[in-house]
Amino acid sequence: MALYEEEIAAKIWRNGEIIPWEDAMIHVNSVGHASVAGIFEGIKAYWNEDDRQLYVFRLADHLKRFLASIKMVRYGFAYSAEEITQAILDLLKANEYRRDVYIRPYIFQKGMVRELLQAEPGKATEFIIDSWPFSSYKDPAHGLDVCVSSWTRIADNALPPRLKCFSNYHNGRLAAMEATVSGYDWPILLDGQGKVTEGPGACLAIVRDGEVITPSVTSSILESVTRATIGAIVQEVLEVPWVERVIDRTELYLADEIFFLGTGWEIMPVISVDRLTVGEGQVGPVTQAIHGAYRDIVRGVDKRHPDWRTPVW
Ligand SMILES: Cc1ncc(COP(=O)(O)O)c(C=O)c1O
């Protein structure tokens, strides 16, 4: 399943300069260990045709998480959230985007393999801001057939899921490949105690007996920006209870509705788990309502929470 179109941007931001995309090279000797503690963010900007405006969604929250991850890996990194915001806006303008765009700031340690093997605190980093056009491809009329993975979600005292680090994604990749070869669309991972965590690249929520329930922030999940947005939408727009707590595996089997949520995935319904039908086996009414409300708020069709949308033009 392709999340993004195969289009590249004309320009990329590298260490303070906007340069042609094809000039952003790195020596092959650095490949491998350079990205072991590489930190990144996944952000989207949405085009609003009526406003003739491109809005970056929840930029401040993504940059807060980016800087929190950098703190945890003890890199030397001199940019403030304000400077990164300006750099992102400059790059979006340089690429003349007037359509939906995905934005990926990331850092990795500079140097050749010998230096990279020494995990010294305060090391300098390469700082890149990449971007590429995307279209929301998801059709909420269709849902995913998922499985509970035999792989365990990484733990806070091993590879903290709260830290948005490239290395963490190997865990989800193993689970996704297992799901694919077993004939499922996507997996859900459990933690070491057998409690529900998230999917590779997305958090999840279940609807049960009139409540929307999502695993707590201490359930081995990434502290997702979309999760915070959906929490607000559920309470303010749908006026339905939003609960953050530990979720058991068997609650997946009894849920009325289940959906993945994240910047990349947006809202993606789940219609079966381990071949047990979720609810009626179709996209449920709460998921549909959340999908519509999310689409409107990110694009600024719903004008609530103006602080969530940073205009580019
Ligand atoms: C592992 C993982 N969990 C959850 C999410 C959702 O986080 P957010 O809503 O901040 O994009 C992501 C994605 O970006 C992710 O990679």
Side-chain angles (χ1 to χ4, degrees):
M1 187 184 308
L3 261 185
Y4 303 107
E5 292 164 29
E6 297 289 315
E7 277 189 66
I8 57 164
K11 303 273 169 61
I12 191 166
W13 189 100
R14 182 178 188 173
N15 300 326
E17 275 183 276
I18 293 175
I19 57 173
W21 194 87
E22 55 274 13
D23 290 356
M25 294 297 163
I26 182 171
H27 197 278
V28 69
N29 183 269
S30 303
V31 175
H33 280 84
S35 67
V36 163
I39 301 297
F40 73 105
E41 267 304 320
I43 307 166
K44 276 181 175 174
Y46 289 88
W47 176 247
N48 182 316
E49 185 61 34
D50 292 335
D51 295 0
R52 302 289 305 158
Q53 185 55 273
L54 181 64
Y55 293 113
V56 187
F57 192 62
R58 298 199 72 164
L59 180 55
D61 299 292
H62 281 285
L63 295 183
K64 188 175 171 202
R65 186 173 67 189
F66 188 54
L67 294 172
S69 289
I70 292 170
K71 178 178 183 182
M72 286 187 270
V73 298
R74 300 172 195 271
Y75 275 148
F77 184 75
Y79 294 89
S80 65
E82 291 71 30
E83 287 166 328
I84 306 171
T85 299
Q86 193 56 55
I88 288 174
L89 297 180
D90 290 346
L91 180 69
L92 297 178
K93 284 184 180 140
N95 279 307
E96 297 177 20
Y97 286 121
R98 283 181 177 79
R99 54 170 300 177
D100 295 350
V101 54
Y102 184 90
I103 305 149
R104 169 152 301 200
Y106 59 98
I107 66 169
F108 55 90
Q109 195 190 312
K110 273 184 182 159
M112 306 297 265
V113 72
R114 270 196 296 272
E115 299 164 65
L116 297 170
L117 288 168
Q118 297 156 8
E120 282 172 31
K123 281 274 172 118
T125 57
E126 284 274 334
F127 180 21
I128 311 291
I129 306 172
D130 201 355
S131 66
W132 55 87
F134 81 94
S135 303
S136 293
Y137 75 101
K138 296 106 192 160
D139 177 358
H142 298 101
L144 303 181
D145 294 306
V146 309
C147 60
V148 172
S149 184
S150 74
W151 293 96
T152 301
R153 184 75 183 126
I154 48 176
D156 189 61
N157 61 351
L159 273 175
R162 182 173 286 106
L163 203 164
K164 199 165 168 67
C165 166
F166 286 117
S167 297
N168 287 2
Y169 284 75
H170 196 48
N171 177 236
R173 184 172 154 72
L174 290 168
M177 287 189 296
E178 178 195 47
T180 303
V181 297
S182 307
Y184 295 96
D185 294 317
W186 210 237
I188 294 173
L189 290 111
L190 306 180
D191 67 12
Q193 279 69 50
K195 305 298 182 186
V196 173
T197 66
E198 59 185 348
C203 283
L204 73 86
I206 69 173
V207 182
R208 225 189 141 193
D209 299 330
E211 292 182 330
V212 182
I213 311 165
T214 196
S216 55
V217 283
T218 50
S219 294
S220 293
I221 62 165
L222 181 70
E223 288 184 355
S224 152
V225 174
T226 315
R227 178 178 171 281
T229 304
I230 300 304
I233 285 176
V234 164
Q235 294 169 89
E236 295 167 16
V237 185
L238 276 67
E239 297 184 354
V240 165
W242 169 257
V243 181
E244 301 183 10
R245 65 162 172 81
V246 170
I247 296 181
D248 278 338
R249 173 182 188 153
T250 47
E251 289 187 276
L252 298 173
Y253 301 147
L254 300 179
D256 303 315
E257 302 179 36
I258 302 179
F259 57 94
F260 287 115
L261 56 109
T263 301
W265 285 85
E266 300 175 347
I267 306 299
M268 175 58 77
V270 170
I271 52 167
S272 76
V273 182
D274 292 342
R275 306 280 179 229
L276 287 169
T277 303
V278 175
E280 305 295 317
Q282 282 160 2
V283 182
V286 178
T287 307
Q288 255 163 9
I290 291 172
H291 181 273
Y294 184 72
R295 185 195 50 213
D296 289 350
I297 211 132
V298 294
R299 229 172 263 287
V301 173
D302 180 340
K303 301 287 180 206
R304 274 175 277 205
H305 294 285
D307 52 309
W308 286 354
R309 290 175 296 275
T310 306
V312 174
W313 297 107

